[in-house]
């Protein structure tokens, strides 16, 4: 049978890792082992179902509203998260664009304040999770965490008052059957899963978060911002 879901190609080789941020063995594990395992699980769980030919985004969105599809949601969401995270990185340093700096600074007082807010959120995660810069449909930027395999675009039910930061993954399950979620477009995502930093940094998460900025592809960030401004970013 055809495998509808496959790991996306990376814009760089796994052989040398990602600069000083991630070693070759760590990148190899995330991309060639963990990501492959997750995609294989998605294919196994969707085979012969209505989800089989759907995009990974659509699988996540639909599974997040069905409490019987928790296993599918977890695997699909984590596969999407890892891909988004790795696609954000670059092995060739890209300077921070002035227009990106300005747009972020406008909403966080300064770019340095944004980085401090992002780092504080990332380091507040207990266990495994993700830290995100997200944009809503009006262009407002926010920093938020999701836990375990949570995705921003299924993290916050629209009918509940929520500050976004610190949204628990269990909230996604409690919101099942409700449509819609608050429409959030991820711009930057950082894995705070232990498997992403323990091999290279041990428990020194501060250095892991700090070095992340050295390998962010700001051209990719800029493209995501432009797409988001014209509506919700197309993630399918």
């Amino acid at each position: 049978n055809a495998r509808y879901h496959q790991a996306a190609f990376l814009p760089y080789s796994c052989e040398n890792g990602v600069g000083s941020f991630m070693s070759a063995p760590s990148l190899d594990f995330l991309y060639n082992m963990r990501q492959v395992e997750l995609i294989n699980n998605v294919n196994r769980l969707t085979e012969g179902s209505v989800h089989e030919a759907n995009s990974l985004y659509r699988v996540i969105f639909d599974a997040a509203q069905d409490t019987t599809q928790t296993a599918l949601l977890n695997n699909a969401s984590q596969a999407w998260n890892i891909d988004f995270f790795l696609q954000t990185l670059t092995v060739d340093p890209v300077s921070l664009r002035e227009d990106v700096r300005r747009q972020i600074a406008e909403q966080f007082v300064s770019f340095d304040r944004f980085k401090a807010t992002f780092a504080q959120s990332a380091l507040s995660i207990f266990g495994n999770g993700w830290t995100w810069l997200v944009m809503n449909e009006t262009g407002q930027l926010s920093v938020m965490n999701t836990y375990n395999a949570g995705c921003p675009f299924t993290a916050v039910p629209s009918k509940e008052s929520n500050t976004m930061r610190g949204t628990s993954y269990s909230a996604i399950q409690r919101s099942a059957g409700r449509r819609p979620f608050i429409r959030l477009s991820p711009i930057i995502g950082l894995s705070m899963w232990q498997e992403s930093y323990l091999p290279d940094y041990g428990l020194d998460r501060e250095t892991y978060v700090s070095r992340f900025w050295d390998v962010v592809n700001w051209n990719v960030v800029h493209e995501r911002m432009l797409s988001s401004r014209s509506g919700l970013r197309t993630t399918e």
Side-chain angles (χ1 to χ4, degrees):
N1 293 332
R3 302 281 89 176
Y4 285 101
H5 304 102
Q6 298 180 5
F9 290 108
L10 295 180
Y12 47 83
S13 170
C14 288
E15 293 181 358
N16 299 314
V18 185
S20 64
F21 175 64
M22 185 177 292
S23 68
S26 293
L27 179 58
D28 179 68
F29 172 80
L30 281 180
Y31 182 69
N32 290 316
M33 296 180 67
R34 176 65 74 209
Q35 186 75 326
V36 169
E37 175 193 43
L38 292 166
I39 292 296
N40 286 342
N41 287 342
V42 171
N43 284 322
R44 174 176 55 81
L45 291 167
T46 59
E47 187 172 7
S49 75
V50 294
H51 303 292
E52 185 174 29
N54 288 343
S55 69
L56 200 58
Y57 172 83
R58 189 74 237 177
V59 170
I60 296 165
F61 194 85
D62 291 345
Q65 300 174 76
D66 184 350
T67 54
T68 69
Q69 297 295 325
T70 301
L72 176 57
L73 173 61
N74 287 337
N75 282 276
S77 186
Q78 186 71 345
W80 191 96
N81 289 351
I82 290 176
D83 179 65
F84 187 90
F85 167 52
L86 295 180
Q87 298 292 338
T88 305
L89 310 180
T90 178
V91 297
D92 299 311
V94 175
S95 298
L96 174 61
R97 296 174 57 105
E98 183 56 34
D99 50 355
V100 172
R101 178 194 293 274
R102 184 171 57 252
Q103 184 173 354
I104 291 176
E106 285 175 355
Q107 299 192 40
F108 288 90
V109 180
S110 70
F111 187 79
D112 287 341
R113 179 72 64 86
F114 155 67
K115 288 174 65 177
T117 300
F118 193 95
Q120 182 181 26
S121 292
L123 297 174
S124 74
I125 292 177
F126 186 83
N128 295 316
W130 296 83
T131 299
W132 309 88
L133 175 67
V134 297
M135 181 182 286
N136 67 15
E137 289 179 281
T138 67
Q140 180 181 1
L141 295 169
S142 300
V143 172
M144 68 179 292
N145 289 339
T146 58
Y147 294 89
N148 295 322
C151 273
F153 46 80
T154 57
V156 187
S158 65
K159 294 183 181 180
E160 293 182 4
S161 174
N162 202 301
T163 58
M164 289 198 297
R165 181 192 294 180
T167 303
S168 68
Y169 187 56
S170 61
I172 299 175
Q173 297 303 318
R174 291 198 300 272
S175 70
R178 275 197 227 142
R179 172 72 180 92
F181 301 100
I182 288 178
R183 304 183 74 190
L184 299 175
S185 177
I187 304 297
I188 297 173
L190 173 63
S191 173
M192 292 306 294
W193 273 64
Q194 293 180 354
E195 63 188 22
S196 295
Y197 61 81
L198 275 179
D200 294 334
Y201 298 89
L203 297 178
D204 185 8
R205 300 193 302 165
E206 290 86 354
T207 301
Y208 170 75
V209 174
S210 176
R211 288 184 180 175
F212 171 62
W213 302 113
D214 297 334
V215 294
V216 169
N217 189 331
W218 294 107
N219 291 333
V220 169
V221 172
H222 178 248
E223 290 170 2
R224 292 169 179 169
M225 284 183 162
L226 289 178
S227 297
S228 299
R229 277 183 159 183
S230 62
L232 182 68
R233 178 172 176 265
T234 302
T235 49
E236 295 192 60

